């Protein structure tokens, strides 16, 4: 009887371990990004330029979607680019009253989003009513779906 109860507790606790392990692993492998200086990613400078441009558009034009002159005669700022990441970084910059730089917030948001990716996988599978152990296993394996070579 004691062994059955222990087995049930382990089965109920295992999905949580499967969820926490990749979150901690992802944080561990991405935390060096937070070191001083710029990230070595190939297009990181472009992302920082877009965040700076978005901050300028919001501050000066009081618009969320404006015209950007980063390239040539300009274009709508988010043409062919999903805006969520840029909005999060700029919003955190405004919330911090500019005490935290766009560069640091950019790196911190990368670490946060990448670290919490297994949680998103777990949550979505849970919403589709998969068994908890399947949700935990998917979260555990989720970092392998993201390329370590740069692009997904």
């Amino acid at each position: 009887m004691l062994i059955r109860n222990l087995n049930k507790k382990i089965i109920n606790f295992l999905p949580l371990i499967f969820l926490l392990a990749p979150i901690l692993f992802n944080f561990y492998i991405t935390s060096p990004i937070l070191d001083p200086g710029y990230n070595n990613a190939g297009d990181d400078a472009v992302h920082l330029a877009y965040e700076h441009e978005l901050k300028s558009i919001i501050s000066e034009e009081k618009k969320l979607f404006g015209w950007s002159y980063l390239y040539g005669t300009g274009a709508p700022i988010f043409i062919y680019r999903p805006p969520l990441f840029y909005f999060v970084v700029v919003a955190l910059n405004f919330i911090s009253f500019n005490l935290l730089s766009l560069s640091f917030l950019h790196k911190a948001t990368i670490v946060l989003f990448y670290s919490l990716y297994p949680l998103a996988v777990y949550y979505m599978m849970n919403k589709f009513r998969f068994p908890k152990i399947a949700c935990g296993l998917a979260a555990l394996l989720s970092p392998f779906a993201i390329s370590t070579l740069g692009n997904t």
Side-chain angles (χ1 to χ4, degrees), residues 54 57-58 61-66 77-78 83 87 90 94:
L54 176 62
I57 289 170
I58 292 172
E61 300 176 22
K62 308 293 187 241
K63 295 180 185 177
L64 290 179
F65 298 96
I77 187 165
F78 294 120
F87 280 130
V90 172
F94 283 130

Side-chain angles (χ1 to χ4, degrees), residues 36-111:
Y38 290 103
N39 190 4
N40 274 344
D43 59 352
D44 222 37
V46 174
H47 294 301
L48 286 168
Y50 269 95
E51 290 157 3
H52 186 270
E53 188 77 4
L54 176 62
K55 182 180 174 188
S56 298
I57 289 170
I58 292 172
S59 298
E60 296 166 10
E61 300 176 22
K62 308 293 187 241
K63 295 180 185 177
L64 290 179
F65 298 96
W67 197 262
S68 168
Y69 295 98
L70 288 175
Y71 297 106
T73 58
I77 187 165
F78 294 120
I79 192 164
Y80 306 120
R81 291 188 180 272
L84 177 65
F85 184 81
Y86 304 108
F87 280 130
V88 168
V89 171
V90 172
L92 290 172
N93 182 257
F94 283 130
I95 289 170
S96 73
F97 299 106
N98 295 325
L99 294 175
L100 299 174
S101 69
L102 283 175
S103 174
F104 172 77
L105 289 170
H106 174 84
K107 295 186 297 184
T109 305
I110 289 172
V111 171

Side-chain angles (χ1 to χ4, degrees), residues 117-130 135:
Y117 177 68
L119 180 64
V121 170
Y122 184 93
Y123 175 78
M124 184 55 93
M125 289 196 63
N126 194 29
K127 279 295 178 186
F128 283 120
R129 296 189 176 111
F130 279 90
C135 300

